[in-house]
Amino acid sequence: MNIALRSRYILYSDFDVQYLQQQVDFLHFSSLKLSYNHRLSLGFLYRNRDWFQRGSDEFRLTEQFNYTKQKLGVRYGHRIRFEQRFFKTSTVYRQRYRFAVDFPLNGEKLDIGETYLISAVESLLSLSDLYQPETDLRLTAQIGWQLSQALKLQTGLEHRLEAFNLETFNTLFVLTSAVIKI
């Protein structure tokens, strides 16, 4: 089981440099380990945007499948997610695929007190009765610290190419998160 509290800040949005907090998220995921490399997970997310006047709050349900493989200290991960995003006036159904690579900066195994890097590329398809289908692409790079067996802190950047099948726009986010593993 993982519990996370994270926030996201807008750093750049379509030729406008800014630094605005967009939201605070509370996440919970429970996972069933099918084998050493395969996991099924169910999760929920509550996203608060009202505090920052950045849109409506959101409640999200998530089903996901993970496959990971590790070679020479580098972990490769494939993740497929299905999400139901509930807003005040609409529901969006989203499918996501992510390929990620992470590795410790010291040695082949991540130990307590050590730093690691994680990078990912993710494609998204969002479907709704109210809006046209939307496709997005996200590129993420983060640095993390394994503070204890149960606590990680991460920060980094995420570039989004959003709605590239409709009217494309770019956004760059600063990400911060604390992940507690129970």
Side-chain angles (χ1 to χ4, degrees), residues 85 94 122-126 134-138 160-165 169:
R85 302 177 69 197
R94 188 159 70 180
E122 183 173 30
S123 61
L124 297 90
L125 171 64
S126 298
E134 182 179 308
T135 53
D136 302 334
L137 185 66
R138 299 177 181 177
R160 291 186 179 183
L161 180 64
E162 298 189 78
F164 66 82
N165 64 318
F169 62 97

Side-chain angles (χ1 to χ4, degrees), residues 4-108:
L5 181 65
R6 67 182 185 196
S7 63
R8 187 168 67 194
Y9 302 84
I10 298 172
L11 186 60
Y12 172 86
S13 183
D14 274 339
F15 310 110
D16 186 23
V17 176
Q18 49 190 319
Y19 190 75
L20 299 170
Q21 184 161 7
Q22 185 183 35
Q23 66 203 35
V24 172
D25 297 341
F26 173 77
L27 298 95
H28 168 270
F29 271 94
S30 290
S31 296
L32 173 64
K33 197 172 193 176
L34 302 175
S35 69
Y36 180 75
N37 295 354
H38 301 87
R39 246 185 0 219
L40 280 177
S41 302
L42 291 174
F44 71 86
L45 171 141
Y46 172 71
R47 173 169 288 162
N48 185 302
R49 288 189 179 124
D50 284 342
W51 289 348
F52 312 104
Q53 300 172 351
R54 306 294 298 165
S56 95
D57 286 357
E58 173 185 350
F59 180 74
R60 183 184 304 179
L61 296 175
T62 303
E63 305 82 37
Q64 79 178 24
F65 173 76
N66 279 323
Y67 169 74
T68 57
K69 187 165 184 141
Q70 190 159 347
K71 281 189 172 185
L72 301 173
V74 179
R75 186 172 60 167
Y76 305 92
H78 300 273
R79 181 180 78 190
I80 298 171
R81 271 190 178 173
F82 300 98
E83 297 175 335
Q84 301 80 48
R85 302 177 69 197
F86 302 99
F87 300 95
K88 288 180 185 173
T89 59
S90 67
T91 301
V92 176
Y93 300 93
R94 188 159 70 180
Q95 294 81 46
R96 303 167 70 157
Y97 168 74
R98 182 185 81 167
F99 174 71
V101 176
D102 66 81
F103 54 89
L105 293 178
N106 304 333
E108 292 185 17

